[in-house]
Amino acid sequence: DMKPQKESVGDKFSRQYQISIKAEATMEAVFRFLHALQESTLLFGVEKMVLSPKSEEASTLSVNLTVAGVAFS
């Protein structure tokens, strides 16, 4: 699930956006996503991340991220 978190802010040259992401993934998939975000040429960053096991036996995690990005006009 991915939703804009709040109204974008900025000035006449740029706008900042925040996106809330809720997902279920393995630790490996989370690392791949974070690595791809870091390697991107776009200006994105993780502001908040909460990982919790879906259950005691499962290898799947519940993932909650707040991602911020900047767009220039």
Side-chain angles (χ1 to χ4, degrees), residues 10-59:
D11 54 30
K12 65 180 182 175
F13 301 109
S14 66
R15 303 216 40 89
Q16 181 177 355
Y17 299 90
Q18 285 188 328
I19 301 166
S20 176
I21 301 171
K22 292 182 182 182
E24 293 179 358
T26 63
M27 185 62 81
E28 180 182 350
V30 172
F31 285 142
R32 280 196 318 263
F33 174 79
L34 293 174
H35 180 70
L37 196 63
Q38 179 185 8
E39 294 296 311
S40 172
T41 58
L42 302 173
L43 295 175
F44 283 107
V46 176
E47 290 191 338
K48 181 180 176 183
M49 179 172 56
V50 178
L51 302 174
S52 57
K54 191 170 176 189
S55 70
E56 287 189 27
E57 299 83 30
S59 61

